[in-house]
Amino acid sequence: MAIRGKTILITGASSGLGRAMALSLSHGDNNLVVTARREGLLRELAAEVEAHGSRCTVAVADAVDPAACQQVIDAGLAAYGRIDVAILNAGGGTPTNMAHTDSAAVLRIMRVNFDTLVNFLCPMIDHMRDVGGTIAWTGSPAGFFGLPRSGPYSAAKAAGRVMLDSARVELAGSPVKLVALYPGFTYTPGLDPNDVPIKALIIQPERAAREMLGAIERGRSHHMFPKRIRVLIALGRLMPEWLRRRFLRVASGG
Ligand SMILES: NC(=O)c1ccc[n+]([C@@H]2O[C@H](COP(=O)([O-])OP(=O)(O)OC[C@H]3O[C@@H](n4cnc5c(N)ncnc54)[C@H](OP(=O)(O)O)[C@@H]3O)[C@@H](O)[C@H]2O)c1
């Protein structure tokens, strides 16, 4: 693990990709600030991190609440004095069919994936503007076009991607680096394998964590993986819209 001796904030750390990244970073003599809503899981994670020789602060928060997010950042700064890397990873989606849903369900998914980003992104930019640092975000290949049964999730991930693109231009020349990560289907509690049309595309969270932390170390602006997903998304973007629509309809069993 090349990220060593740093202070790293991870949102959505109680499970899946966030937890896998925290465990990988725990071998690097780092200070971790881990946050999510489920305190028991965060405490178990903290014990494992500390057993590997790093320090770990648990900060329980619902990331749709801006004041709670600020408290998480304050707890990290009080414990370690600075935050070098913020990995904004909280999110997830419940399958939603726009033909049969309501506005509350749509907005809930938007909040879980967009508000949870914004509520950490703005204060972290504020913190890092002078002292420097890296802000990474877990987006999704689903944010490149509207996938069936994923309208609100695709929309929230597209919004995050485009907002980071703007911020990257605005922060050029500053010491803040923005890294957008687009993991393909990863075997976490957040993924229902029945929703994956080709099971061979699913990767393990440890592999995903390696890819994500590697991209953060190298300061890449964008990283989509594995390669098979990168190729599929590139092909999808090249297709005319009518053909893509037909393809997605068949792939989703419609
Ligand atoms: N797995 C995949 O195939 C895949 C692919 C592309 C992108 N992603 C993205 O990867 C990220 C992590 O997902 P995962 O697959 O690791 O799923 P996961 O195991 O369900 O983890 C989701 C994490 O987000 C946290 N979270 C959700 N809502 C929250 C809220 N309101 N406040 C605070 N924390 C919240 C959860 O913690 P609590 O419930 O304890 O609060 C949990 O730690 C998500 O952004 C997801 O969209 C996943």
Side-chain angles (χ1 to χ4, degrees):
M1 173 41 52
I3 300 178
R4 303 192 72 85
K6 302 283 185 202
T7 298
I8 304 131
L9 167 74
I10 306 178
T11 77
S14 60
S15 169
L17 293 168
R19 178 182 157 78
M21 285 188 278
L23 286 175
S24 181
L25 289 163
S26 69
H27 296 284
D29 190 27
N30 290 304
N31 305 317
L32 299 191
V33 182
V34 294
T35 182
R37 291 165 302 182
R38 286 172 290 174
E39 182 170 6
L41 293 179
L42 291 176
R43 298 242 170 252
E44 281 172 27
L45 170 65
E48 279 193 64
V49 167
E50 285 170 355
H52 295 155
S54 286
R55 275 93 20 223
C56 192
T57 295
V58 167
V60 179
D62 186 335
V64 303
D65 174 355
C69 297
Q70 186 60 56
Q71 282 172 11
V72 172
I73 294 168
D74 292 345
L77 293 176
Y80 307 115
R82 58 182 287 152
I83 294 171
D84 302 297
V85 181
I87 305 178
L88 310 185
N89 164 80
T94 321
T96 311
N97 183 334
M98 289 306 294
H100 305 282
T101 188
D102 56 47
S103 53
V106 171
L107 291 171
R108 191 185 58 74
I109 296 173
M110 291 298 290
R111 275 194 291 277
V112 166
N113 289 285
F114 188 70
D115 294 22
T116 58
L117 163 65
V118 174
N119 287 338
F120 280 100
L121 178 67
C122 295
M124 284 318 310
I125 290 176
D126 210 33
H127 171 64
M128 290 179 179
R129 196 180 293 109
D130 299 323
V131 298
T134 298
I135 303 171
W137 165 65
T138 310
S140 170
F144 285 82
F145 29 73
L147 298 182
R149 293 178 14 99
S150 298
Y153 180 72
S154 284
K157 293 295 191 186
R161 175 170 66 84
V162 172
M163 186 174 62
L164 284 196
D165 284 348
S166 296
R168 206 172 281 111
V169 177
E170 292 154 349
L171 288 163
S174 86
V176 185
K177 212 162 234 338
L178 296 174
V179 179
L181 302 161
Y182 310 108
F185 301 110
T186 308
Y187 216 130
T188 68
L191 179 81
D192 180 350
N194 295 321
D195 289 335
V196 183
I198 308 169
K199 306 284 178 274
L201 289 175
I202 302 177
I203 60 171
Q204 294 301 318
E206 294 71 22
R207 152 96 193 271
R210 263 198 317 278
E211 292 269 1
M212 294 163 90
L213 294 174
I216 293 170
E217 278 160 23
R218 293 191 296 277
R220 292 188 58 174
S221 303
H222 301 270
H223 183 46
M224 189 184 294
F225 60 90
K227 192 173 174 193
R228 283 172 288 182
I229 289 286
R230 203 156 60 233
V231 169
L232 280 175
I233 296 293
L235 285 175
R237 294 180 89 184
L238 285 174
M239 282 180 194
E241 207 270 332
W242 65 267
L243 182 59
R244 186 166 62 233
R245 205 174 338 126
R246 192 171 291 182
F247 176 80
L248 287 173
R249 200 164 171 177
V250 171
S252 66

